[in-house]
C-alpha cells in the first residue's frame, strides 16, 4: 500500500495501472513508454525508512515490490542503469562500474540500485539490524553471476550497509546541542 500511494502521489498515473504493476501476474500491461520513464524516475527518487525494522520484513517486501515493478517496466534495465550510473561523479569509477554491470543479471542491477539509494532501517536491537543486513546481502548474492575463470569468481564486493541499517532508538529524539539553543 505504501508504494502504491507513493506512485499515485508522485506519478499521476491511473490507480488501475499501478495496481497492475504491483500484481505478480503476467497480464498485459497498458503502460505507455512515457509512463514507464516517469515510474523509473519516481522509484529512483524514493526514500524508505523502517523505524523498527526488526528482521527486515518490511524493507525486504519493498525491495521485492520495487524489483517487480522494474522487471515489468524496464526488463533490460536500460533506464534504471542509466539513472544509477548518473549518480557516479568520477568518470573512471563510472566506466569500471558500467563495464561490470552492462551484461549482468538485470535483477541484480535493480536490487543493487534500490538497496544503495532507497531503503533504510533502524532498530533498537543490534541482532535485528544484523539480520536485516544479512537478508539484503543474501538477496543480492543470489542474483550475482559466478564466473570461476575471473578473479574473485567475477563477484563484485557487496555494498556497505553499515549506514543503511543502524542500531538506534528511533522513538527518542536527538539531544539539542548548545548551538541550537542559542539560535532560538
Amino acid at each position: 500500500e505504501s508504494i502504491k500511494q507513493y506512485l499515485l502521489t508522485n506519478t499521476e498515473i491511473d490507480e488501475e495501472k499501478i495496481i497492475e504493476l504491483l500484481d505478480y501476474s503476467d497480464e498485459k500491461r497498458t503502460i505507455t513508454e512515457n509512463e514507464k520513464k516517469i515510474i523509473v524516475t519516481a522509484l529512483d527518487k524514493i526514500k524508505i525508512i523502517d523505524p523498527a525494522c526488526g528482521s527486515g520484513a518490511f524493507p525486504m517486501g519493498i525491495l521485492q515490490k520495487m524489483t517487480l515493478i522494474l522487471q515489468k517496466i524496464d526488463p533490460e534495465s536500460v533506464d534504471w542503469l542509466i539513472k544509477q550510473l548518473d549518480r557516479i561523479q568520477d568518470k573512471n569509477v563510472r566506466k569500471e562500474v558500467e563495464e561490470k554491470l552492462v551484461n549482468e543479471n538485470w535483477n541484480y542491477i535493480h536490487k543493487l540500485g534500490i538497496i544503495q539509494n532507497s531503503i533504510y532501517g533502524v532498530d533498537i536491537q543490534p541482532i535485528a539490524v544484523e539480520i536485516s543486513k544479512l537478508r539484503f546481502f543474501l538477496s543480492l548474492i543470489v542474483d550475482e553471476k559466478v564466473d570461476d575463470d575471473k578473479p574473485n569468481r567475477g563477484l563484485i564486493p557487496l555494498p556497505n550497509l553499515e549506514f543503511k541499517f543502524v542500531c538506534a532508538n528511533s522513538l527518542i529524539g536527538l539531544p539539542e546541542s548548545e548551538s541550537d539553543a542559542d539560535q532560538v
Side-chain angles (χ1 to χ4, degrees):
E1 285 300 312
S2 58
I3 193 96
K4 177 178 136 186
Q5 290 305 317
Y6 172 80
L7 290 174
L8 285 172
T9 304
N10 292 287
T11 63
E12 299 179 5
I13 295 175
D14 183 50
E15 184 174 358
E16 293 301 318
K17 290 180 179 182
I18 292 175
I19 290 171
E20 186 179 292
L21 280 176
L22 294 167
D23 185 21
Y24 282 99
S25 68
D26 287 333
E27 294 177 18
K28 291 270 185 188
R29 288 167 289 290
T30 57
I31 296 174
T32 67
E33 289 300 316
N34 187 43
E35 290 172 331
K36 289 178 182 180
K37 291 186 184 302
I38 291 169
I39 291 169
V40 168
T41 300
L43 291 179
D44 183 52
K45 292 179 181 177
I46 193 171
K47 301 292 183 211
I48 299 155
I49 185 164
D50 186 350
C53 65
S55 63
F58 176 75
M60 188 57 74
I62 289 289
L63 174 67
Q64 296 302 327
K65 283 295 185 177
M66 289 177 68
T67 303
L68 172 69
I69 293 169
L70 289 170
Q71 287 170 341
K72 288 183 175 186
I73 64 172
D74 192 21
E76 293 181 1
S77 199
V78 174
D79 294 331
W80 185 253
L81 181 59
I82 290 169
K83 293 235 180 257
Q84 301 314 302
L85 290 174
D86 285 345
R87 292 180 191 276
I88 302 171
Q89 301 298 320
D90 186 317
K91 290 181 182 180
N92 294 327
V93 172
R94 179 187 164 118
K95 184 178 179 182
E96 185 177 320
V97 171
E98 189 173 1
E99 288 173 5
K100 170 65 179 149
L101 295 179
V102 167
N103 291 318
E104 274 297 321
N105 182 326
W106 306 128
N107 279 341
Y108 181 84
I109 293 170
H110 290 151
K111 287 181 182 179
L112 183 63
I114 294 166
I115 291 169
Q116 287 182 325
N117 302 307
S118 300
I119 298 177
Y120 303 86
V122 179
D123 202 283
I124 197 165
Q125 296 181 354
I127 192 68
V129 172
E130 294 303 318
I131 290 170
S132 292
K133 288 190 259 187
L134 179 62
R135 287 182 77 175
F136 278 84
F137 284 141
L138 291 173
S139 175
L140 272 177
I141 204 71
V142 298
D143 287 325
E144 181 71 281
K145 290 186 178 181
V146 175
D147 185 351
D148 290 329
D149 296 332
K150 292 184 178 178
N152 198 34
R153 299 182 74 194
L155 302 175
I156 62 172
L158 293 168
N160 182 359
L161 297 181
E162 291 301 315
F163 301 104
K164 306 292 285 173
F165 292 92
V166 296
C167 185
N169 188 342
S170 61
L171 298 177
I172 297 175
L174 295 173
E176 285 190 29
S177 68
E178 289 183 27
S179 62
D180 289 342
D182 293 340
Q183 294 176 0
V184 176

